[in-house]
């Protein structure tokens, strides 16, 4: 049973950080320790087996990882740490009007983690900015469902 969840945030405008705060609050309300880490200075060294992870990322430009997460994903693909036994979830933010690259940064992180042996819990949450719903309003419900799936795996 994992009691600690690290929420790794990649964002350009801060929206993904707001979502991460809502996820952390929802997890804390369920008795978990939730820690928010901006990806700015992170490397694969922070990925340990005593925690589960939530990748909370927006998509920028032409389907790119936001600037503050680029070095982290580059480090993952260069170092190629063994992530077997690590469980994670993805909350991706995007805009469906950019259909070909919708929530692509979330997909890139998902692919990188799985390639390195980590197991995704649940489906990727893909929030559409065009939906009229705020992603932070959907974050708590998603986090509760994700935590239930994490607990049952």
């Amino acid at each position: 049973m994992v009691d600690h969840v690290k929420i790794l945030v990649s964002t350009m405008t801060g929206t993904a950080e707001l979502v991460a705060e809502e996820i952390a609050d929802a997890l804390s309300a369920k008795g978990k320790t939730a820690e928010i880490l901006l990806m700015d200075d992170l490397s694969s060294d922070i990925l340990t087996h005593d925690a589960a992870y939530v990748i909370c990322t927006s998509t920028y430009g032409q389907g790119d990882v936001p600037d503050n997460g680029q070095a982290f994903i580059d480090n993952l693909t260069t170092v190629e740490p063994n992530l077997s036994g690590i469980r994670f979830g993805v909350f991706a933010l995007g805009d469906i009007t950019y259909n070909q690259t919708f929530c692509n940064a979330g997909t890139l992180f998902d692919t990188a983690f799985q390639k390195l042996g980590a197991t995704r819990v649940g489906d990727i949450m893909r929030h559409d900015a065009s939906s009229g719903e705020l992603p932070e309003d959907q974050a708590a419900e998603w986090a509760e469902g994700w935590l239930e799936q994490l607990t049952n795996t």
Side-chain angles (χ1 to χ4, degrees):
M1 170 65 79
V2 174
D3 290 322
H4 190 154
V5 178
K6 293 180 183 179
I7 305 166
L8 310 179
V9 181
S10 179
T11 188
M12 288 297 286
T13 63
T15 304
E17 192 171 2
L18 292 173
V19 170
E21 290 170 3
E22 292 297 324
I23 291 170
D25 288 347
L27 295 174
S28 294
K30 296 291 185 178
K32 301 298 178 189
T33 301
E35 178 181 8
I36 298 172
L37 300 168
L38 294 175
M39 290 187 194
D40 299 74
D41 298 316
L42 298 184
S43 72
S44 59
D45 295 345
I46 62 105
L47 300 171
T48 59
H49 290 83
D50 63 344
Y53 296 86
V54 171
I55 308 299
C56 190
T57 184
S58 57
T59 297
Y60 179 71
Q62 301 299 310
D64 302 319
V65 170
D67 292 347
N68 80 313
Q70 192 61 56
F72 181 64
I73 199 163
D74 289 346
N75 177 262
L76 287 173
T77 57
T78 302
V79 174
E80 295 184 337
N82 179 355
L83 302 184
S84 296
I86 288 181
R87 295 177 294 161
F88 72 100
V90 178
F91 193 111
L93 294 89
D95 190 325
I96 197 71
T97 59
Y98 301 97
N99 190 20
Q100 293 183 341
T101 59
F102 177 59
C103 292
N104 194 59
T107 301
L108 292 172
F109 278 108
D110 178 62
T111 300
F113 268 61
Q114 288 193 63
K115 180 181 176 186
L116 297 169
T119 301
R120 178 172 25 92
V121 174
D123 294 329
I124 297 175
M125 170 58 186
R126 298 178 193 277
H127 177 268
D128 175 16
S130 298
S131 71
E133 293 184 63
L134 296 174
E136 55 269 31
D137 290 345
Q138 296 178 327
E141 182 178 340
W142 176 84
E144 289 170 7
W146 178 79
L147 181 58
E148 185 174 321
Q149 291 179 62
L150 178 68
T151 304
N152 293 329
T153 59

